């Protein structure tokens, strides 16, 4: 019988039957593809909401087509005036985007191809399909059913929302009597988002004062600072109790630096990190946005710029008792971030974020991360804003990450390293689910 493994190699794997060792490159490729396709995912960063959040839940034809990634692409056509576009109703805007991106052109960009994947997986014929037919499909399907269908097609077991306690609509839901319903769907976890507090203190201050927190001083005197720290910590603690978030999160601009003699460092050092330590909560730092480079595009007007990776080094080194989930937006920062993550066990890199969520970049970045970190990072998150986007975002990411894993594993295989399907399953589960839960020190069943 021809086998790749000698007795010594087999001895190392006592208890594992020979049949479970991968015997050929083809079998290896197939086993990796099968494991990645079948792993049930925890999607650690989305903007999704279940039905209990009412109008905040986004799903269906018009929401899918009005996704801000597609808005930016449609408005590349300079015959469409921005004023005219924004004066339209939601459904009229979707009609226009559909015409521009799916009728006049072929949907080959990542975001447009995503719609094609969704249509295909929902079993809707993609040839000559009309937007009206897509609308009909969603009108006939309940939101409840859509959540079940989507999670099952995407093979996502649970998702983490983005929950902003200073958002007027959302916070109102949390403080009224519907509160318990908001946490009743166990597939939707919370993440407490701190962007407004960390990036826009002046406006946050007004909102906090209106809610009865004494943070109105200028933070010039020690007394004012002490009071603000106490009051802001009280605010965060109350919201942590209310939401039971899996982590705290902030997207900070590309200009973010730490430590600095500014309000952001003060709030991080005196409030956010101590509160996170007291509640054993991880902090997610998402850095590298350059917001509103074209305000005419509204939500679609944000961009990217390189950020100071040294700030991440400093955060990790100066705060060894805090844990940081980190993702950076610009391609040029990825290598340094990966090297930094080798040096600090309180950093966990996650995903290929937003403009990096395209197959060519995911493959390149994931391969580099595997080379430098092994399977010790979180492979991807979807950032989905519209429920059904989970179907395409995960289908596309799985296909690409499969390729990166196949090339790394085949290097081992070619050097005669024994690999079992169980080994592959372990790594794949870690990358798509396990590393997250271990790092945040929470029970996946929570
Ligand atoms: O990917 C997006 O939809 C962005 O607009 C942002 O929401 C970004 O992901 C963020 O969380 O700030
Ligand atoms: Zn996001």
């Amino acid at each position: 019988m021809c086998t790749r493994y000698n007795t010594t190699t087999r001895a190392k794997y006592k208890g594992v039957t020979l049949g479970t060792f991968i015997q050929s490159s083809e079998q290896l490729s197939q086993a990796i593809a099968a494991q990645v396709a079948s792993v049930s995912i925890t999607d650690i960063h989305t903007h999704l909401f279940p039905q209990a959040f009412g109008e905040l839940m986004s799903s269906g034809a018009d929401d899918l087509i009005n996704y801000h990634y597609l808005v930016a692409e449609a408005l590349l056509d300079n015959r469409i005036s921005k004023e005219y576009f924004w004066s339209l109703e939601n459904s009229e805007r979707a009609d226009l985007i559909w015409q521009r991106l799916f009728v006049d052109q072929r949907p080959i960009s990542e975001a447009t191809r995503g719609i094609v994947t969704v249509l295909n997986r929902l079993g809707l014929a993609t040839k000559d399909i009309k937007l009206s037919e897509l609308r009909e499909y969603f009108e006939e399907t309940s939101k409840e059913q859509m959540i079940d269908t989507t999670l099952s097609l995407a093979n996502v077991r649970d998702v983490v929302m983005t929950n902003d306690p200073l958002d007027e609509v959302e916070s109102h839901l949390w403080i009224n009597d519907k509160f318990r319903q908001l946490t009743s769907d166990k597939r939707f976890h919370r993440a407490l988002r701190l962007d407004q507090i960390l990036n826009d203190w002046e406006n946050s201050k007004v909102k906090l004062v209106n809610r009865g927190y004494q943070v109105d001083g200028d933070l010039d005197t020690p007394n004012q600072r002490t009071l603000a720290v106490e009051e802001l910590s009280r605010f965060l603690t109350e919201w942590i109790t209310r939401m039971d978030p899996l982590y705290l999160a902030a997207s900070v601009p590309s200009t973010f630096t730490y430590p600095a003699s500014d309000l952001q460092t003060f709030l991080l050092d005196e409030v956010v990190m101590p509160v996170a330590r007291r509640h054993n909560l991880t902090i997610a730092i998402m850095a590298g946005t350059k917001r509103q480079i074209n305000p005419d595009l509204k939500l679609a007007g944000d961009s990217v710029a390189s950020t100071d990776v040294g700030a991440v080094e400093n955060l990790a080194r100066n705060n060894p008792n805090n844990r940081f989930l980190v993702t950076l937006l610009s391609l040029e920062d990825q290598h340094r971030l990966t090297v930094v993550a080798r040096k600090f066990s309180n950093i966990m890199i996650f995903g290929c974020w937003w403009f990096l969520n395209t197959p060519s970049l995911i493959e390149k970045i994931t391969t580099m991360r595997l080379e430098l970190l092994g399977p010790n990072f979180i492979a991807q998150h979807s950032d989905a804003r519209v429920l059904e986007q989970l179907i395409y975002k995960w289908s596309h990411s799985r296909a690409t990450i499969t390729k990166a894993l196949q090339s790394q594993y085949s290097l081992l295989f070619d050097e005669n390293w024994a690999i079992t399907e169980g080994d592959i399953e372990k790594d794949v589960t870690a990358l798509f689910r396990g590393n997250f839960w271990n790092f945040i020190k929470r029970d996946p069943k929570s």
Side-chain angles (χ1 to χ4, degrees):
M1 191 178 77
C2 161
T3 97
R4 287 172 50 85
Y5 304 111
N6 59 31
T7 9
T8 331
T9 317
R10 273 202 306 268
K12 283 204 307 194
Y13 285 82
K14 228 169 134 203
V16 178
T17 54
L18 188 60
T20 64
F21 284 116
I22 303 290
Q23 296 291 323
S24 68
S25 310
E26 201 181 39
Q27 195 194 346
L28 178 69
S29 289
Q30 281 168 2
I32 293 167
Q35 290 296 343
V36 176
S38 65
V39 64
S40 182
I41 286 168
T42 294
D43 190 343
I44 81 149
H45 170 60
T46 77
H47 298 263
L48 299 176
F49 294 96
Q51 287 149 291
F53 286 76
E55 66 182 75
L56 290 177
M57 178 180 172
S58 194
S59 159
D62 289 328
D63 286 354
L64 279 170
I65 304 302
N66 280 322
Y67 187 32
H68 70 91
Y69 294 22
L70 296 180
V71 169
E73 290 176 34
L75 291 182
L76 287 176
D77 183 343
N78 62 16
R79 291 166 303 180
I80 307 172
S81 115
K82 316 288 179 288
E83 294 72 32
Y84 168 71
F85 181 79
W86 293 115
S87 74
L88 299 174
E89 295 293 323
N90 236 15
S91 59
E92 294 169 325
R93 284 205 286 267
D95 285 334
L96 195 150
I97 296 170
W98 180 265
Q99 178 66 35
R100 170 79 192 123
L101 300 180
F102 296 88
V103 180
D104 298 347
Q105 292 183 356
R106 262 48 53 211
I108 55 172
S109 73
E110 173 60 13
T112 52
R113 185 171 72 88
I115 298 290
V116 176
T117 304
V118 173
L119 294 177
N120 193 30
R121 301 300 153 87
L122 288 176
L124 302 165
T126 51
K127 207 159 181 254
D128 292 334
I129 187 164
K130 310 263 178 308
L131 184 50
S132 54
E133 295 168 54
L134 187 53
R135 287 184 176 126
E136 273 162 33
Y137 170 86
F138 283 104
E139 272 154 27
E140 285 160 11
T141 318
S142 72
K143 294 262 187 283
E144 232 166 359
Q145 179 62 56
M146 236 21 260
I147 294 180
D148 292 347
T149 304
T150 300
L151 293 181
S152 145
L153 284 173
N155 195 10
V156 168
R157 43 168 259 174
D158 44 11
V159 305
V160 184
M161 302 179 271
T162 296
N163 304 95
D164 182 352
L166 286 184
D167 177 88
E168 292 311 323
V169 179
E170 184 175 352
S171 61
H172 179 73
L173 296 174
W174 283 104
I175 43 198
N176 81 11
D177 53 2
K178 272 182 70 186
F179 154 69
R180 295 224 172 274
Q181 288 174 37
L182 303 187
T183 53
S184 62
D185 190 331
K186 298 297 172 213
R187 298 167 298 182
F188 289 78
H189 306 282
R190 279 76 53 207
L192 198 162
R193 189 84 171 223
L194 302 169
D195 291 28
Q196 297 201 48
I197 290 169
L198 286 176
N199 300 328
D200 184 6
W201 176 245
E202 285 312 310
N203 285 316
S204 303
K205 196 164 84 173
V206 176
K207 291 184 182 179
L208 289 163
V209 169
N210 287 341
R211 293 197 198 171
Y213 298 92
Q214 296 176 54
V215 293
D216 39 348
D218 285 335
L219 304 181
D220 285 341
T221 68
N223 280 353
Q224 281 178 349
R225 283 199 290 271
T226 308
L227 185 62
V229 166
E230 276 172 18
E231 285 291 274
L232 198 50
S233 306
R234 179 166 74 88
F235 168 78
L236 283 186
T237 303
E238 285 171 9
W239 279 91
I240 288 168
T241 309
R242 191 171 274 136
M243 287 179 171
D244 182 24
L246 291 186
Y247 59 83
L248 308 178
S251 163
V252 288
S254 57
T255 50
F256 174 70
T257 170
Y258 176 92
S261 339
D262 63 12
L263 196 63
Q264 218 172 30
T265 291
F266 173 74
L267 294 172
L268 279 168
D269 283 350
E270 302 301 324
V271 181
V272 177
M273 287 193 281
V275 168
R277 287 195 293 269
R278 281 202 290 279
H279 294 270
N280 198 14
L281 281 168
T282 300
I283 302 169
I285 298 288
M286 309 165 75
T289 48
K290 193 161 178 213
R291 297 276 181 203
Q292 294 298 285
I293 66 158
N294 187 352
D296 290 346
L297 300 184
K298 300 196 178 179
L299 185 58
D302 295 342
S303 185
V304 53
S306 181
T307 199
D308 174 15
V309 187
V312 177
E313 286 170 23
N314 298 338
L315 272 173
R317 191 183 48 249
N318 297 2
N319 304 282
N321 296 322
N322 282 99
R323 297 183 303 280
F324 302 93
L325 288 162
V326 181
T327 198
L328 299 184
L329 193 52
S330 92
L331 179 59
E332 54 271 45
D333 295 336
Q334 299 308 315
H335 179 251
R336 184 170 172 198
L337 174 65
T338 310
V339 174
V340 170
R342 284 170 64 87
K343 312 295 165 184
F344 295 100
S345 60
N346 60 340
I347 293 182
M348 172 68 71
I349 293 184
F350 72 100
C352 296
W353 178 28
W354 197 348
F355 307 111
L356 297 175
N357 190 348
T358 60
S360 62
L361 299 180
I362 295 175
E363 188 172 352
K364 186 184 173 122
I365 294 166
T366 306
T367 303
M368 188 254 304
R369 288 176 180 168
L370 288 168
E371 286 168 344
L372 286 170
L373 294 168
N376 301 301
F377 60 99
I378 296 164
Q380 184 57 315
H381 60 273
S382 76
D383 228 324
R385 281 176 179 263
V386 184
L387 177 69
E388 298 79 20
Q389 289 170 342
L390 288 175
I391 300 169
Y392 92 79
K393 300 236 185 196
W394 281 113
S395 156
H396 294 191
S397 289
R398 281 184 210 258
T400 309
I401 294 165
T402 296
K403 286 195 210 162
L405 283 167
Q406 283 167 337
S407 64
Q408 284 312 108
Y409 266 100
S410 67
L411 297 173
L412 286 185
F413 185 79
D414 291 347
E415 295 298 344
N416 229 6
W417 184 260
I419 302 168
T420 68
E421 295 206 6
D423 295 334
I424 299 169
E425 186 184 4
K426 245 187 227 156
D427 289 346
V428 168
T429 307
L431 287 164
F432 286 88
R433 191 173 77 217
N435 288 343
F436 170 66
W437 289 102
N438 287 341
F439 189 73
I440 66 164
K441 298 187 190 293
R442 290 279 296 246
D443 178 354
K445 287 184 220 84
S446 63

